[in-house]
Amino acid sequence: MAPLKGPISVLLLVITTLFWSIPLILLTLLKLITPTRPLRLIVLRGLNGVALNWIGCNLWWMRHWLKPQLDATLPEGLSPEQRWLVISNHRSWTDIFMLLMVLHRRIPMPRFFLKQQLIWIPIVGLAWWALEYPFMRRYTREQIARRPQLADIDRKATELMCKRAREMPLAIFNFVEGTRFTPAKRDAQNSPFRHLLRPKAGGIAQVLSHLGEQLDGILDVTLHYENPQPTFWGFLCGREGRITLDARRLDVPEWMLDSRYHDDPHYKERFHTWLNALWQEKDQALDSR
């Protein structure tokens, strides 16, 4: 059975996706023809319900079939009626399912910052689009230097998500490093951390600037894998080893609400100092594992 575990896991993912794609597509079509935003919000709540059940089905078979060795620590007082910014280090696609496994229905429906290319994934890309996930183009510094207006595209996508977050509770998830950690990537960017890449501040700074007063806090998550090179395929094969997830609640500092990251160089420097200190703590915690 062990050699078949991975293929069977993929089959289960496909089955659940095809099953829940039916109500998803129907509600997406309904949302497209709904004329006003208040009515679209009603449809969006239905889409959120479909997505939560879709996630729940996948988590159910993963718990019983893959039986991940997950040790999780969570703060008390979480509620699906709150609004959260969830930040985490990033090692593997497995990270997403580990976060969902411990936070599913404990906090609101998650929203991830996604690469623009992911919108083309069959069914899943449609789901993310219908659920109003922000798709980020992530232009290089050279591209932005040649065409500064490109920087506004991702900012406007983030601003729109923050505006919609005021309409209903949601949790904004952000892998702050922007990509999965590998030693090669760490060395290429000359990261000062042993277990982490350099954190990228722009996205979460914008979220905190636009939404900080309405957030119930920041959930700072640190993920550690016993396997030094975790992969999603290894997880689907049930051989990923022990995974530790530590989440702590951070209050949003008042100074973060007073300025805009892209307009105030002093605020930008202070924000980078705060985030780098947070990442230093995370690196030390991973070092002690």
Side-chain angles (χ1 to χ4, degrees), residues 90 141 176-200 276 279:
H90 194 16
R141 290 182 180 179
V176 185
E177 294 154 302
T179 185
R180 295 184 294 276
F181 171 90
T182 66
K185 292 177 183 177
R186 177 198 59 199
D187 295 342
Q189 63 176 223
N190 196 25
S191 171
F193 310 108
R194 287 190 61 194
H195 309 282
L196 303 166
L197 302 178
R198 293 180 180 273
K200 297 183 178 181
N276 283 322
W279 237 238

Side-chain angles (χ1 to χ4, degrees), residues 138-152 155:
R138 294 181 178 175
Y139 295 106
T140 65
R141 290 182 180 179
E142 292 76 13
Q143 289 174 312
I144 293 174
R146 290 195 300 268
R147 298 176 60 193
Q149 67 271 24
L150 294 178
D152 290 333
R155 292 177 196 172

Side-chain angles (χ1 to χ4, degrees), residues 31 44 47-48 51 109 111 126-133:
K31 186 168 178 258
L44 181 58
L47 283 163
N48 281 338
M109 178 68 194
R111 296 290 189 277
L126 174 67
W128 287 328
W129 176 82
L131 289 162
E132 301 179 350
Y133 279 49

Side-chain angles (χ1 to χ4, degrees), residues 61 68 84 89 104 117 121 130 132 145 158 228 251 276 285 288:
W61 69 256
W84 293 95
N89 61 312
H104 181 58
Q117 298 90 325
I121 298 177
E132 301 179 350
T158 304
D251 293 326
N276 283 322
S288 64

Side-chain angles (χ1 to χ4, degrees), residues 83-102:
R83 292 173 174 84
W84 293 95
L85 171 62
V86 182
I87 61 176
S88 175
N89 61 312
H90 194 16
R91 294 299 311 277
S92 162
W93 270 79
T94 310
D95 299 348
I96 297 172
F97 290 95
M98 295 301 97
L99 286 165
L100 294 175
M101 199 161 285
V102 300

